[in-house]
Amino acid sequence: MFAIIQRVLRHTLYLLRGGFLVRPLAMALLIGSVGAVVPFIEEQFPLSHSWVARLPVLVVQDAASAQGLLAAIIGAIMTVLAIVLSVLLVALTLASMQFSPRILTGFVDDLSNQRTIGLFLGTFLYCLAVYPSARQGPPQFVPAVAVLGATGLAVACSAALVNFVFHIARSINVNFITERIAIETERVIDDVMLEPLRGRIPLEVQPVHAFNDGPEVLAPLSGYIRFIDRKGLRELAVAHGVALSVERRVGQFIPEGTPLFRFSKSKGSCLAASGDFVKRFDIGPVRTMEQDIEFGLLQLVDIALKAISPAVNDPSTAINCVDQLSRLLVRVASREPGPAAMYHPPGVVRVAFRPVPFSKLLSCAFEQIVHYGKTDAAVMLRVMRALGDIASSTGDRAHLGAVLACGRNVAKVCAGQLPEESAEAFAERLARLERLGAAGE
């Protein structure tokens, strides 16, 4: 039960990190609450009217004027809020069609959009809360301070609207979109790959503990593996005196009824507690960026593929995506990969994983771009430059070998596809990559 609560809480916190519903609602309730409290304080402590009366231009003097001003602000705010949401919806539609549906989460999670919506909703609730307190009598009461606050909020909403239009215009720029994706992916890399590279045994040659003869535990539902509680699995394995191998890695889809993991041996207590092990996996309908580095790369690849499609023909966008991909792979190449197994005590395997190796990330980043853009000289030259940058940033032999193999594969795919002048530049960059690979051997 605790594992379920922990998993739900962790995933909820991840979702609330975007806060599209939470932040605007919290802002609206907070501002609306102020609107309910300020008139009460004014009525109980009328001393505030002494300094407010010195601002005759900005402060209403009778209840009818206060109600009229509040009603005008309420009507204007709701009209403008409808426009704000319409503009946001148009931006989402354009981004989905022009780039990729995968990037829509970034627009929804944008703090500026959330603050703008929260401010408008809060101003609306504030005016609704203040409106009943303006009484024409008897006795008459004019919440002058509260109405002055409503006027200030209306001015703030005007400024927020101008900033929102500017922000939306900038946020649909592909450079800002790819930058946001890269920054978020870097955070995942830092969370998953904690240590700097020290030259351990690469994942490609680490032994895989499959436990093929052990009993298998099936997935309780279909979906993508979004998170694996590695430490929790190890603790359970130690407590039950067993080992297990996870059959699929984070980001992969698993159908219901297929093996999720296997135990090293048949043990009644383990099979009875298999539900506790399953609770350490978070499976859902969409991939997330909690532990999934590959998903960040795929978002950039999607944008690049749409950019080099014949319908769009925008190689500059594809080049920008290649640049961001090289940035991410340089960061991955500088970090120690996650272990393929967890041990306790030392030397005793408790949990075996199938982490994605560096060569797989290279393939994920460049394979489709090279396949569909092999006739575009500018894009292919930038891919070769990216591979050179990755190779020059690492001294790890396994990484250099993977980069060199990727470069040779690019050269094989592009053979005879590029114009002569571009082919010469391509050959020069391939030769540089070969020299970097030879220097690391």
Side-chain angles (χ1 to χ4, degrees), residues 303-331:
I303 298 174
L305 293 179
K306 188 160 287 190
I308 60 178
S309 65
V312 178
N313 193 24
D314 182 14
S316 296
T317 295
I319 289 173
N320 178 265
C321 293
V322 171
D323 291 339
Q324 297 293 351
L325 287 168
S326 67
R327 160 188 176 177
L328 296 176
L329 289 171
V330 166
R331 197 178 191 90

Side-chain angles (χ1 to χ4, degrees), residues 15-40:
L15 294 177
L16 294 183
R17 185 180 66 174
F20 182 71
L21 295 177
V22 176
R23 287 196 183 97
L25 184 59
M27 288 181 63
L29 292 177
L30 178 61
I31 298 174
S33 300
V34 173
V37 172
V38 171
F40 174 79

Side-chain angles (χ1 to χ4, degrees), residues 308 369-377 380 410 413-415 417-418:
I308 60 178
I369 295 177
V370 171
H371 176 75
Y372 292 102
K374 57 189 174 185
T375 59
D376 193 311
M380 292 303 98
V410 174
V413 172
C414 295
Q417 303 289 335
L418 302 177

Side-chain angles (χ1 to χ4, degrees), residues 127-182:
C127 294
L128 283 182
V130 173
Y131 189 90
S133 64
R135 300 187 299 272
Q136 298 188 23
Q140 176 176 276
F141 175 70
V142 181
V145 176
V147 174
L148 183 61
T151 305
L153 286 173
V155 173
C157 287
S158 301
L161 178 62
V162 175
N163 178 72
F164 174 77
V165 173
F166 166 76
H167 182 74
I168 285 293
R170 191 182 71 162
S171 62
I172 60 177
N173 185 303
V174 67
N175 292 327
F176 288 98
I177 294 175
T178 56
E179 174 74 11
R180 178 192 58 76
I181 295 172

Side-chain angles (χ1 to χ4, degrees), residues 272-296:
S274 61
D276 294 333
F277 286 86
V278 172
K279 293 173 186 176
R280 302 298 177 178
F281 294 81
D282 183 13
I283 302 175
V286 295
R287 296 177 73 168
T288 66
M289 295 286 288
E290 294 174 83
Q291 292 181 328
D292 196 352
I293 299 174
E294 192 176 4
F295 183 52

